[in-house]
Amino acid sequence: MQGERIILGIDPGTTIMGFGLIKVVNKNMSFIQMNELQLNKYSDHYVKLKLIFERTIELIDTYHPDEIAIEAPFFGKNVQSMLKLGRAQGVAMAAGLSREVPITEYLPKKIKMAITGNGNASKEQVAKMLQSMLKIKKLPKNLDATDGLAAAVCHFYNSGKTEIGKSYTGWTAFVKQNPGKIK
């Protein structure tokens, strides 16, 4: 893909939501910023979802990303945790869709593979690789921010490939690609 674009990467979570932004000019990417939304001080799950939605809208309105890459939930043993994580991802996606920003989901293994070449890499290995390739001076204490940044970089590497995951350009596209799931 030619031209200039901004990619917002999100690692959704109900304790910490990590996010990172990169700018792509022609085929070169540069680091804009990464950070995290701390949610552990809130006990009400609905308040957390509201804050995730509002922060995502704020990021979109501030940086005007052309695309959003979001880490898809992974299957775990705790159904309640998965449900909460799915809701966190859903409200972040809803924020992007409400601003008509195209969204692509990536599995955690696909993100790790894109960054390190190893789908089973640790968070620390992913963070160190991002630090090296984007010339980041200091890594954050929590690695949720680098996970969000990794989603953006993964999307950059996968741009233009035919099979890159589920992609939505708006509510109509989401409903069309998920028949029977929306009532």
Side-chain angles (χ1 to χ4, degrees):
M1 280 190 148
Q2 297 296 314
E4 185 176 306
R5 62 194 170 115
I6 293 175
I7 303 170
L8 167 61
I10 298 174
D11 177 26
T14 55
T15 305
I16 300 172
M17 178 184 91
F19 57 89
L21 289 128
I22 59 170
K23 181 178 190 174
V24 178
V25 178
N26 296 321
K27 293 184 179 188
N28 300 310
M29 70 174 154
S30 60
F31 174 72
I32 297 175
Q33 79 126 312
M34 68 177 154
N35 209 332
E36 53 198 32
L37 173 61
Q38 290 286 338
L39 299 161
N40 44 357
K41 59 186 167 211
Y42 304 97
S43 58
D44 186 332
H45 184 65
Y46 300 108
V47 169
K48 291 179 180 189
L49 295 177
K50 178 180 177 277
L51 293 169
I52 291 167
F53 185 86
E54 290 173 349
R55 183 64 173 128
T56 305
I57 289 289
E58 182 185 327
L59 288 165
I60 293 167
D61 290 349
T62 301
Y63 293 97
H64 308 288
D66 299 288
E67 299 159 287
I68 295 174
I70 191 163
E71 186 173 308
F74 55 90
F75 295 101
K77 291 187 187 340
N78 186 330
V79 177
Q80 284 301 314
S81 293
M82 279 201 51
L83 179 63
K84 288 178 179 177
L85 185 59
R87 287 176 176 164
Q89 182 200 32
V91 296
M93 290 173 75
L97 293 169
S98 75
R99 292 293 197 259
E100 299 184 2
V101 180
I103 300 166
T104 305
E105 294 178 78
Y106 292 96
L107 293 170
K109 279 186 177 273
K110 177 130 183 148
I111 294 171
K112 291 174 182 180
M113 178 65 86
I115 306 303
T116 67
N118 176 0
N120 295 313
S122 69
K123 281 178 167 273
E124 292 78 16
Q125 288 170 316
V126 171
K128 284 291 191 189
M129 188 64 83
L130 288 170
Q131 183 177 30
S132 172
M133 68 174 69
L134 294 171
K135 297 169 183 50
I136 299 167
K137 289 179 175 53
K138 187 174 184 229
L139 289 174
K141 188 177 84 168
N142 297 320
L143 298 180
D144 299 273
T146 53
D147 286 350
L149 184 62
V153 173
C154 173
H155 186 68
F156 165 71
Y157 285 140
N158 284 280
S159 294
K161 293 187 179 175
T162 52
E163 180 65 35
I164 58 173
K166 291 186 179 178
S167 239
Y168 311 110
T169 55
W171 285 115
T172 307
F174 178 83
V175 171
K176 203 179 276 187
Q177 289 181 33
N178 292 282
K181 294 182 183 177
I182 309 296
K183 302 232 185 245

Short mmCIF file of all heavy atoms in Angstrom, two decimals, residues 1-5 22-30 156-157 159:
data_model
loop_
_atom_site.label_atom_id
_atom_site.label_comp_id
_atom_site.label_asym_id
_atom_site.label_seq_id
_atom_site.Cartn_x
_atom_site.Cartn_y
_atom_site.Cartn_z
N MET A 1 0.83 -1.19 0.00
CA MET A 1 0.00 0.00 0.00
C MET A 1 0.87 1.24 0.00
O MET A 1 1.77 1.38 0.80
CB MET A 1 -0.89 0.00 1.24
CG MET A 1 -2.11 -0.85 1.16
SD MET A 1 -3.16 -0.47 2.58
CE MET A 1 -4.71 -0.75 1.83
N GLN A 2 0.56 2.14 -0.88
CA GLN A 2 1.32 3.38 -0.97
C GLN A 2 0.61 4.48 -0.19
O GLN A 2 -0.53 4.36 0.19
CB GLN A 2 1.46 3.78 -2.44
CG GLN A 2 2.24 2.78 -3.27
CD GLN A 2 3.68 2.64 -2.84
OE1 GLN A 2 4.35 3.62 -2.63
NE2 GLN A 2 4.14 1.41 -2.70
N GLY A 3 1.31 5.58 0.00
CA GLY A 3 0.71 6.73 0.67
C GLY A 3 1.01 6.75 2.15
O GLY A 3 1.87 6.04 2.64
N GLU A 4 0.25 7.57 2.84
CA GLU A 4 0.45 7.75 4.27
C GLU A 4 -0.79 7.29 5.02
O GLU A 4 -1.91 7.58 4.62
CB GLU A 4 0.70 9.23 4.55
CG GLU A 4 1.04 9.53 5.98
CD GLU A 4 1.38 11.00 6.20
OE1 GLU A 4 2.27 11.51 5.49
OE2 GLU A 4 0.74 11.62 7.06
N ARG A 5 -0.58 6.53 6.11
CA ARG A 5 -1.71 6.10 6.93
C ARG A 5 -1.26 5.89 8.36
O ARG A 5 -0.08 5.72 8.64
CB ARG A 5 -2.37 4.85 6.36
CG ARG A 5 -1.46 3.66 6.30
CD ARG A 5 -2.05 2.55 5.43
NE ARG A 5 -1.05 1.53 5.21
CZ ARG A 5 -1.13 0.28 5.66
NH1 ARG A 5 -2.19 -0.12 6.30
NH2 ARG A 5 -0.16 -0.56 5.44
N ILE A 22 1.15 3.59 14.99
CA ILE A 22 2.27 3.75 14.07
C ILE A 22 1.80 4.55 12.86
O ILE A 22 0.62 4.55 12.52
CB ILE A 22 2.87 2.40 13.61
CG1 ILE A 22 1.83 1.53 12.89
CG2 ILE A 22 3.53 1.67 14.76
CD1 ILE A 22 2.40 0.30 12.20
N LYS A 23 2.77 5.22 12.26
CA LYS A 23 2.51 5.96 11.02
C LYS A 23 3.24 5.21 9.92
O LYS A 23 4.40 4.82 10.08
CB LYS A 23 3.04 7.38 11.14
CG LYS A 23 2.79 8.24 9.93
CD LYS A 23 3.31 9.65 10.19
CE LYS A 23 2.89 10.61 9.13
NZ LYS A 23 3.27 11.99 9.46
N VAL A 24 2.57 5.03 8.81
CA VAL A 24 3.16 4.35 7.66
C VAL A 24 3.21 5.34 6.51
O VAL A 24 2.19 5.93 6.14
CB VAL A 24 2.32 3.11 7.25
CG1 VAL A 24 2.93 2.44 6.03
CG2 VAL A 24 2.20 2.13 8.41
N VAL A 25 4.41 5.57 5.99
CA VAL A 25 4.60 6.40 4.81
C VAL A 25 5.23 5.50 3.75
O VAL A 25 6.34 5.01 3.94
CB VAL A 25 5.49 7.64 5.10
CG1 VAL A 25 5.68 8.46 3.84
CG2 VAL A 25 4.89 8.48 6.22
N ASN A 26 4.47 5.28 2.67
CA ASN A 26 4.84 4.31 1.65
C ASN A 26 5.04 2.96 2.31
O ASN A 26 4.09 2.40 2.82
CB ASN A 26 6.02 4.79 0.83
CG ASN A 26 5.69 6.05 0.05
OD1 ASN A 26 4.59 6.19 -0.48
ND2 ASN A 26 6.62 6.99 0.00
N LYS A 27 6.24 2.45 2.38
CA LYS A 27 6.44 1.14 2.99
C LYS A 27 7.27 1.23 4.28
O LYS A 27 7.78 0.23 4.77
CB LYS A 27 7.12 0.19 2.01
CG LYS A 27 6.21 -0.13 0.84
CD LYS A 27 6.84 -1.14 -0.09
CE LYS A 27 5.88 -1.43 -1.22
NZ LYS A 27 6.30 -2.51 -2.07
N ASN A 28 7.38 2.44 4.83
CA ASN A 28 8.16 2.64 6.06
C ASN A 28 7.23 2.98 7.22
O ASN A 28 6.36 3.83 7.09
CB ASN A 28 9.17 3.77 5.87
CG ASN A 28 10.13 3.46 4.74
OD1 ASN A 28 10.72 2.39 4.70
ND2 ASN A 28 10.28 4.39 3.82
N MET A 29 7.46 2.33 8.35
CA MET A 29 6.64 2.62 9.53
C MET A 29 7.47 3.34 10.57
O MET A 29 8.68 3.14 10.67
CB MET A 29 6.03 1.36 10.10
CG MET A 29 6.98 0.42 10.77
SD MET A 29 6.11 -0.95 11.56
CE MET A 29 7.42 -2.16 11.50
N SER A 30 6.79 4.20 11.33
CA SER A 30 7.45 4.89 12.43
C SER A 30 6.52 4.90 13.64
O SER A 30 5.29 4.87 13.50
CB SER A 30 7.84 6.32 12.03
OG SER A 30 6.70 7.06 11.66
N PHE A 156 0.42 -3.81 9.69
CA PHE A 156 1.29 -3.22 8.67
C PHE A 156 1.93 -4.33 7.82
O PHE A 156 1.93 -4.27 6.59
CB PHE A 156 2.37 -2.35 9.32
CG PHE A 156 3.51 -2.01 8.41
CD1 PHE A 156 3.35 -1.12 7.35
CD2 PHE A 156 4.77 -2.58 8.60
CE1 PHE A 156 4.41 -0.80 6.50
CE2 PHE A 156 5.83 -2.27 7.76
CZ PHE A 156 5.65 -1.39 6.71
N TYR A 157 2.48 -5.35 8.49
CA TYR A 157 3.14 -6.43 7.77
C TYR A 157 2.17 -7.26 6.93
O TYR A 157 2.55 -7.85 5.93
CB TYR A 157 3.88 -7.36 8.73
CG TYR A 157 5.16 -6.77 9.27
CD1 TYR A 157 5.53 -6.96 10.60
CD2 TYR A 157 6.02 -6.04 8.46
CE1 TYR A 157 6.70 -6.42 11.10
CE2 TYR A 157 7.19 -5.50 8.95
CZ TYR A 157 7.53 -5.70 10.27
OH TYR A 157 8.69 -5.17 10.77
N SER A 159 -0.70 -6.03 5.56
CA SER A 159 -1.47 -5.19 4.62
C SER A 159 -1.23 -5.63 3.18
O SER A 159 -0.10 -5.88 2.79
CB SER A 159 -1.08 -3.71 4.77
OG SER A 159 -1.47 -3.24 6.03
#
